[in-house]
Amino acid sequence: MLCAVQVPCGAAAETALAVAGVEVEPVSREKDVKAVLTKVGLGEADAGLVYRTDVKAAGGEVTGIEFPEAAKAINDYPIVEVAKAPQGALAGEFIRLVVGEQGRAVLSRAGFEGP
């Protein structure tokens, strides 16, 4: 089971599978990663390709298997302060929190790679 190609998790899956040289014909393509994870967790699918972060968040409902080709399927999550934002100073504080030691530790525990 995979996400639809039009959504980030589907595009990432296509990249990882291409790098691995694997062709699959998924039983279904779901609207988002949560739908894939839910169906696997409920036993409605034998396997699905989802993000490491979602496997961790599932808290043991599913078992994740790492594979090296996934490293080529990276989603970037930019963080920026909007010019002339009404609370620009607060936005700047938030950005410093996220990219600082505390934010990086939280992201790491959730399975994200650091900024």
Side-chain angles (χ1 to χ4, degrees):
M1 179 167 299
L2 300 175
C3 292
V5 177
Q6 302 85 345
V7 295
C9 59
E14 293 294 315
T15 299
L17 291 169
V19 169
V22 176
E23 290 185 30
V24 299
E25 189 61 43
V27 173
S28 69
R29 291 194 176 262
E30 302 300 319
K31 67 178 183 164
D32 58 31
V33 70
K34 299 278 188 232
V36 173
L37 193 63
T38 297
K39 286 193 175 188
V40 172
L42 293 172
E44 294 176 12
D46 293 332
L49 197 52
V50 299
Y51 300 119
R52 173 190 315 128
T53 52
D54 291 288
V55 171
K56 283 186 165 222
E61 278 186 45
V62 297
T63 300
I65 300 169
E66 297 278 339
F67 59 102
E69 295 83 3
K72 300 293 185 188
I74 300 294
N75 288 335
D76 291 322
Y77 297 95
I79 184 169
V80 298
E81 181 180 332
V82 176
K84 299 182 183 177
Q87 296 192 22
L90 184 58
E93 285 181 41
F94 176 71
I95 291 170
R96 285 188 293 283
L97 172 68
V98 170
V99 300
E101 187 176 327
Q102 183 180 3
R104 291 158 73 102
V106 169
L107 291 170
S108 179
R109 283 193 303 273
F112 288 96
E113 293 182 9

